Amino acid sequence: EAGVAQSPRYKIIEKRQSVAFWCNPISGHATLYWYQQILGQGPKLLIQFQNNGVVDDSQLPKDRFSAERLKGVDSTLKIQPAKLEDSAVYLCASSRSGVGELFFGEGSRLTVL
Amino acid sequence: GENVEQHPSTLSVQEGDSAVIKCTYSDSASNYFPWYKQELGKRPQLIIDIRSNVGEKKDQRIAVTLNKTAKHFSLHITETQPEDSAVYFCAASKDSGYALNFGKGTSLLVTP
């Protein structure tokens, strides 16, 4: 089966600019996650979707980050305006209805200058 | 929320030796404990997991043990090989539907 697809793989922007990342989960996976992985640290959950509804966004900096999963399939994560500390890899993952193994995409590496 | 602590942050072993990575968690309601391996520049991939109704699970050279009373679990890799070199993350979550909370990772280096 096809894996989790993410784009772009790399993005370099100036602070205060905006950026958007896209994720297409494994077909049939109802649960989609966005994690932020800062260099040298473990993935930190930003938001979890079950179909097109938000399950957990308690750690999403809502003043600058937004995410949507309109049709319960692919998802977009947006940052506006970006800060230096947003430099990280943004990992999308999916699972079958939130049970068991998470399947990660290759990640989108963001550098904010 | 759940807090997962992982030790050590770096570990260097000689090929053929064993490696042990330990994690503790804070939420006694957590009952699912996976371990992920992340090679440089690659995505994290599940290598083994354990649920709270089991104390130990083994898969070839990899084993995980769980002590629910003490709220800690460990990854054991025997007969290490250079290809085991990677960053290993432990994680914990409650019942299905809850996201994983990850530790900060252990960078394992296996030298020939």
Side-chain angles (χ1 to χ4, degrees):
Chain A
E1 62 184 354
V4 176
Q6 288 189 246
S7 67
R9 289 293 314 279
Y10 305 93
K11 189 74 176 180
I12 301 173
I13 61 173
E14 300 279 336
K15 60 183 179 183
R16 291 186 290 273
Q17 286 187 324
S18 63
V19 63
F21 301 113
W22 173 83
C23 172
N24 191 35
I26 292 172
S27 177
H29 281 193
T31 309
L32 185 148
Y33 313 79
W34 284 101
Y35 281 87
Q36 179 193 58
Q37 187 175 24
I38 292 173
L39 187 64
Q41 297 184 20
K44 171 190 164 187
L45 179 71
L46 292 176
I47 191 166
Q48 176 187 353
F49 292 96
Q50 177 74 16
N51 296 309
N52 60 351
V54 175
V55 174
D56 184 355
D57 64 355
S58 58
Q59 298 185 88
L60 186 73
K62 298 180 186 65
D63 58 335
R64 297 184 300 104
F65 286 65
S66 65
E68 60 184 12
R69 192 184 184 198
L70 291 175
K71 296 183 179 179
V73 181
D74 56 350
S75 175
T76 302
L77 176 71
K78 296 179 181 177
I79 308 173
Q80 181 180 15
K83 291 186 175 181
L84 296 177
E85 58 261 37
D86 298 332
S87 295
V89 175
Y90 291 86
L91 291 165
C92 179
S94 68
S95 69
R96 297 181 188 279
S97 300
V99 177
E101 182 176 1
L102 264 61
F103 293 85
F104 284 91
E106 296 279 9
S108 294
R109 181 178 297 277
L110 173 66
T111 302
V112 182
L113 303 176
Chain B
E2 173 70 274
N3 183 42
V4 179
E5 300 279 345
Q6 183 172 348
H7 300 279
S9 56
T10 60
L11 180 59
S12 182
V13 300
Q14 289 220 312
E15 183 177 1
D17 287 349
S18 295
V20 180
I21 303 170
K22 299 182 179 182
C23 288
T24 60
Y25 60 97
S26 60
D27 190 342
S28 56
S30 291
N31 62 5
Y32 176 62
F33 308 94
W35 287 87
Y36 282 78
K37 176 183 180 181
Q38 188 174 29
E39 297 177 359
L40 191 62
K42 301 285 184 65
R43 71 188 81 190
Q45 292 191 292
L46 179 72
I47 55 170
I48 195 168
D49 58 9
I50 192 168
R51 295 188 182 274
S52 61
N53 58 345
V54 175
E56 183 174 357
K57 184 177 179 180
K58 191 172 181 180
D59 182 4
Q60 298 182 355
R61 296 186 297 109
I62 296 173
V64 56
T65 58
L66 171 65
N67 183 327
K68 278 225 80 179
T69 303
K71 290 192 281 188
H72 69 70
F73 56 112
S74 300
L75 177 71
H76 304 253
I77 306 174
T78 59
E79 301 171 25
T80 54
Q81 301 168 2
E83 52 265 39
D84 294 329
S85 296
V87 179
Y88 292 80
F89 294 99
C90 62
S93 76
K94 293 187 283 188
D95 247 325
S96 63
Y98 288 88
L100 293 176
N101 293 285
F102 286 86
K104 290 191 173 182
T106 296
S107 179
L108 173 65
L109 177 64
V110 181
T111 54

